[in-house]
Amino acid sequence: MVEFHGGGIELIECLEQITVAERPRPEFFATCTVVSIDPVRRTASVVLAGHHEPLLLGPGGPQLLPAAYGVALGLGSGRRRWTETGLDLPDAGALLLYTDGLSEGHTGMGTQRLGVEGLRELIAAAPQAGAEALLDHLVSAAQRLDSGRHSDDMAILHLDFTRRD
């Protein structure tokens, strides 16, 4: 039995135990990001296990938030190589979390990958019609650019932390 009693690193460690115990093959792994937002202090804590850093969406355009990279779950079992990164948040904005399936697709028929910079360009070019339209735009644009050549999973999460007093 696995017990969970804490914050981001403790949750990642619990998920690591579950991943290792339940995986069908030794080469199986999973990626994960844990984010906790304190709306009063305007801070967030981020723990990355195989994912890219989140993007901050706000008035200054999409910005990569520096967060300590951690190994994916199921790789390097027992080494507990995750770090919690504290971030200050502006009064308004959103965090965009995504799997590498969104950013590692191709940008056309060549070998160039979209990457985080390409993802930032797609965000900057997105219609200003809200979170749902942004997410639809990102997924459809990434799939169109890739032309079905990259088969990794694609997941995206928009966490709006704008204060609404």
Side-chain angles (χ1 to χ4, degrees):
M1 182 164 102
V2 177
E3 294 184 27
F4 171 68
H5 300 286
I9 291 178
E10 291 84 5
L11 178 57
I12 291 287
E13 289 174 347
C14 179
L15 293 171
E16 164 79 357
Q17 291 177 34
I18 293 168
T19 300
V20 170
E22 299 293 326
R23 63 184 170 189
R25 295 179 308 280
E27 65 274 9
F28 178 83
F29 67 94
T31 60
C32 182
T33 297
V34 175
V35 175
S36 299
I37 295 177
D38 184 330
V40 174
R41 291 190 176 104
R42 310 302 303 159
T43 60
S45 66
V46 177
V47 182
L48 301 175
H51 277 184
H52 293 287
E53 299 95 335
L55 291 172
L56 174 64
L57 307 181
Q63 300 172 13
L64 189 64
L65 291 177
Y69 179 81
V71 68
L73 305 175
L75 301 177
S77 180
R79 293 188 214 151
R80 300 181 186 211
R81 299 183 298 179
W82 303 285
T83 302
E84 191 167 27
T85 302
L87 304 168
D88 292 322
L89 299 174
D91 287 337
L95 294 179
L96 188 74
L97 288 79
Y98 52 94
T99 61
D100 59 2
L102 183 65
S103 62
E104 290 183 356
H106 295 87
T107 59
M109 295 315 293
T111 60
Q112 184 175 350
R113 303 287 181 153
L114 182 63
V116 175
E117 285 307 311
L119 182 56
R120 290 175 63 188
E121 291 172 11
L122 289 179
I123 293 168
Q128 301 295 322
E132 188 173 342
L134 171 64
L135 300 183
D136 287 345
H137 167 75
L138 293 177
V139 170
S140 63
Q143 288 175 334
R144 184 182 67 254
L145 287 168
D146 187 58
S147 301
R149 295 188 301 148
H150 187 64
S151 62
D152 201 355
D153 67 312
M154 189 182 296
I156 187 169
L157 178 64
H158 182 277
L159 296 172
D160 189 324
F161 56 81
T162 301
R163 178 176 278 160
R164 293 168 177 54
D165 293 326

